[in-house]
């Protein structure tokens, strides 16, 4: 089963893998980290001018880290805009994914949060530093192998 | 006893971003450190019995059988409140929980002048809200544990994370003292919410022979 965007990418010879459709029927594609920056530019030129959300998650203990992008094509007079979901997987020991900040500016804080929580390094991000945790924090709190430190004020919050 | 206890210790933490000349001067200060436990607004009797600068401690302190020896910073005269200069980003390093306040600064025990430029020292202010009843013996236990932790984290980067690790360990130690019955809640405290658990009788009393047996 192949969606419209996947067929279009195949026609232009762009490497990707289709992951099917999510529960709302949005097409989901997997793209390699090294291709992601060029394909992001191509998708922007294609018409996906709105990065609706960016998030990241840890796929499995000891497995890959994923960075997820939901793109929407906003046009006048359209009530069912085209949507696509892009997933980029990176290995845990050296998670490097090109930043899409220079394509969609709204990726700024989302990518910083993904860096803060999961330690994914977004290349070419202008100010990649921790956004939620204190800057001197050690470790990546949302990874599955993270062990929370025995801090007094965390476990005794009253 | 309306007293706030404070204790200062020299650190050997590495400071990221400090120039090389600065770092060497820190080492020199650490090697010549001396002794003072100070209790804020405390009776002069206690002050005098605790301030004893021991002679030549550098070589002997490593082989001492009693390893938790207090070796605090010597009291300084004419300390003025100074903030961190802009050169270091004006950083303020502290760990503040209810019973433990740790500042990377020199705080004068008498005048409470706060000199943040002396970042090679850590000042511990113990239980500023007076939730527990302290006596010099239990205070010194906490100070000794603080000194031990500071020695343990020697070489660690001087960041807030490290100070939080130290402060949390001290809080857990205070809780252990409370459960062992060595310190008690201060019933005249301003806020009486028993933040380390409700008072109990014989919580950790393992030595008691005639404990009540569980009903089978």
């Amino acid at each position: 089963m192949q969606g419209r965007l996947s067929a279009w990418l195949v026609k232009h010879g762009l490497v990707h893998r289709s992951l099917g459709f999510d529960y709302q029927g949005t097409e989901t594609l997997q793209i390699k980290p090294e291709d992601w920056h060029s394909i992001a530019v191509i998708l922007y030129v294609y018409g996906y001018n709105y990065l609706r959300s960016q998030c990241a998650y840890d796929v499995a203990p000891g497995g890959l880290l994923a960075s997820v992008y939901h793109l929407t094509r906003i046009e006048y007079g359209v009530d069912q805009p085209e949507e696509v979901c892009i997933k980029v997987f990176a290995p845990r020991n050296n998670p490097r994914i090109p930043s899409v900040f220079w394509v969609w500016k709204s990726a700024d804080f989302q990518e910083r949060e993904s860096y803060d929580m999961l330690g994914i390094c977004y290349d070419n991000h202008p100010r990649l530093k921790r956004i939620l945790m204190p800057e001197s924090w050690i470790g990546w709190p949302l990874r599955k192998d993270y062990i929370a430190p025995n801090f007094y004020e965390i476990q005794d919050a009253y | 006893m309306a007293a706030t206890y404070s204790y200062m210790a020299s650190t050997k933490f590495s400071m990221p971003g400090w120039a090389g000349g600065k770092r060497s001067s820190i080492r020199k200060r650490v090697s010549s450190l001396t002794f003072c436990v100070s209790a804020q607004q405390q009776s002069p009797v206690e002050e005098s019995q605790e301030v004893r600068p021991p002679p030549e401690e550098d070589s002997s302190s490593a082989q001492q059988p009693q390893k938790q020896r207090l070796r605090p910073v010597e009291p300084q005269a004419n300390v003025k409140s100074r903030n961190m200069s802009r050169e270091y980003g004006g950083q303020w390093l502290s760990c503040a929980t209810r019973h433990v306040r740790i500042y990377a600064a020199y705080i004068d025990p008498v005048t409470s002048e706060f000199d943040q430029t002396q970042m090679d020292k850590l000042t511990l202010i113990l239980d500023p809200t007076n939730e527990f009843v302290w006596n010099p013996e239990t205070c010194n236990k906490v100070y000794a544990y603080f000194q031990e932790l500071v020695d343990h984290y020697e070489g660690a980067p001087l960041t807030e994370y490290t100070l939080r690790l130290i402060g949390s360990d001290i809080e857990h130690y205070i809780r252990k003292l409370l459960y062992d019955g060595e310190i008690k809640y201060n019933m005249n405290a301003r806020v009486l919410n028993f933040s380390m658990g409700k008072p109990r009788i014989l919580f950790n009393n393992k030595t008691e022979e005639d404990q009540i047996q569980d009903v089978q």
Side-chain angles (χ1 to χ4, degrees):
Chain A
M1 193 152 102
Q2 204 176 26
R4 283 173 53 198
L5 183 69
S6 179
W8 186 83
L9 288 174
V10 167
K11 199 175 85 183
H12 290 81
L14 297 171
V15 180
H16 68 283
R17 200 172 105 197
S18 186
L19 295 175
F21 296 84
D22 70 2
Y23 76 103
Q24 286 176 323
T26 307
E27 189 178 356
T28 307
L29 301 177
Q30 178 188 344
I31 288 175
K32 287 193 213 165
E34 56 266 30
D35 298 339
W36 171 227
H37 183 71
S38 55
I39 290 185
V41 174
I42 290 168
L43 290 179
Y44 184 80
V45 173
Y46 175 86
Y48 287 104
N49 49 9
Y50 177 40
L51 177 70
R52 206 175 61 208
S53 81
Q54 192 272 330
C55 59
Y57 65 97
D58 193 350
V59 178
L64 300 168
L65 303 174
S67 181
V68 186
Y69 303 81
H70 286 264
L71 303 175
T72 309
R73 183 174 183 172
I74 301 281
E75 289 167 302
Y76 284 112
V78 175
D79 58 349
Q80 292 280 320
E82 277 183 51
E83 291 176 21
V84 69
C85 170
I86 307 284
K87 291 190 181 184
V88 182
F89 293 93
R92 172 181 299 264
N93 47 16
N94 185 21
R96 299 179 75 87
I97 292 175
S99 168
V100 295
F101 171 79
W102 301 103
V103 184
W104 296 283
K105 290 288 192 291
S106 55
D108 185 1
F109 276 21
Q110 274 80 2
E111 286 184 342
R112 274 180 64 185
E113 185 184 348
S114 302
Y115 166 75
D116 190 358
M117 290 291 133
L118 290 151
I120 300 173
C121 283
Y122 289 92
D123 294 339
N124 282 331
H125 192 282
R127 42 190 169 271
L128 194 65
K129 62 174 189 174
R130 290 188 181 271
I131 187 171
L132 296 175
M133 307 303 283
E135 276 186 51
S136 58
W137 198 265
I138 298 170
W140 312 108
L142 283 191
R143 285 197 189 184
K144 293 197 193 262
D145 53 1
Y146 178 72
I147 298 169
N150 196 15
F151 282 157
Y152 176 75
E153 68 270 32
I154 289 177
Q155 62 174 357
D156 303 88
Y158 57 89
Chain B
M1 182 190 301
T4 312
Y5 295 91
S6 72
Y7 174 76
M8 261 163 274
S10 290
T11 60
K12 297 180 190 173
F13 293 165
S14 64
M15 304 202 185
W18 281 52
K22 275 286 178 193
R23 193 170 291 167
S24 69
S25 74
I26 290 162
R27 288 230 181 88
K28 203 169 66 188
R29 172 170 286 289
V30 164
S31 67
S32 66
L33 80 175
T34 40
F35 203 68
C36 123
V37 172
S38 49
Q40 278 190 10
Q41 303 144 19
Q42 195 60 18
S43 57
V45 182
E46 187 181 331
E47 189 90 24
S48 62
Q49 81 180 14
E50 283 178 358
V51 179
R52 330 161 241 163
E56 62 95 26
E57 52 155 345
D58 259 345
S59 56
S60 61
S61 65
Q63 279 82 27
Q64 282 285 330
Q66 48 158 56
K67 60 181 186 126
Q68 298 178 358
R69 259 199 343 155
L70 295 178
R71 22 180 197 76
V73 174
E74 63 197 12
Q76 302 175 4
N78 292 327
V79 181
K80 291 277 172 282
S81 282
R82 274 184 295 179
N83 293 327
M84 281 306 290
S85 57
R86 186 176 290 270
E87 183 186 349
Y88 303 117
Q91 51 179 321
W92 169 285
L93 287 178
S94 66
C95 162
T97 50
R98 176 155 180 187
H99 312 102
V100 174
R101 306 266 161 93
I102 299 175
Y103 297 97
Y106 181 85
I107 301 176
D108 194 278
V110 183
T111 59
S112 298
E113 296 284 326
F114 194 112
D115 188 358
Q116 285 183 60
T117 54
Q118 305 187 26
M119 279 182 70
D120 54 332
K121 300 176 183 63
L122 292 182
T123 302
L124 168 72
I125 297 176
L126 182 60
D127 197 10
T129 58
N130 272 317
E131 197 184 5
F132 300 113
V133 178
W134 295 96
N135 55 35
E137 191 183 325
T138 50
C139 276
N140 280 342
K141 274 188 180 176
V142 176
Y143 298 156
Y145 189 63
F146 176 56
Q147 184 74 61
E148 190 187 327
L149 285 173
V150 169
D151 293 344
H152 176 74
Y153 285 105
E154 173 188 338
L158 179 63
T159 57
E160 224 156 76
Y161 193 87
T162 312
L163 294 188
R164 282 168 72 129
L165 285 173
I166 294 174
S168 300
D169 281 352
I170 296 174
E171 287 276 5
H172 296 311
Y173 185 71
I174 291 173
R175 186 208 305 266
K176 182 179 151 291
L177 288 182
L178 179 71
Y179 284 1
D180 290 345
E182 300 191 34
I183 54 175
K184 291 193 285 267
Y185 280 112
N186 179 9
M187 288 301 161
N188 300 319
R190 209 161 63 88
V191 179
L192 200 62
N193 61 354
F194 303 123
S195 71
M196 283 190 170
K198 293 229 175 79
R200 283 175 261 201
I201 299 172
L202 295 180
F203 184 80
N204 254 7
N205 204 341
K206 296 282 189 291
T207 58
E208 201 78 18
E209 289 300 322
D210 48 354
Q211 281 187 30
I212 300 169
Q213 297 296 315
D214 283 342
V215 178
Q216 295 296 322

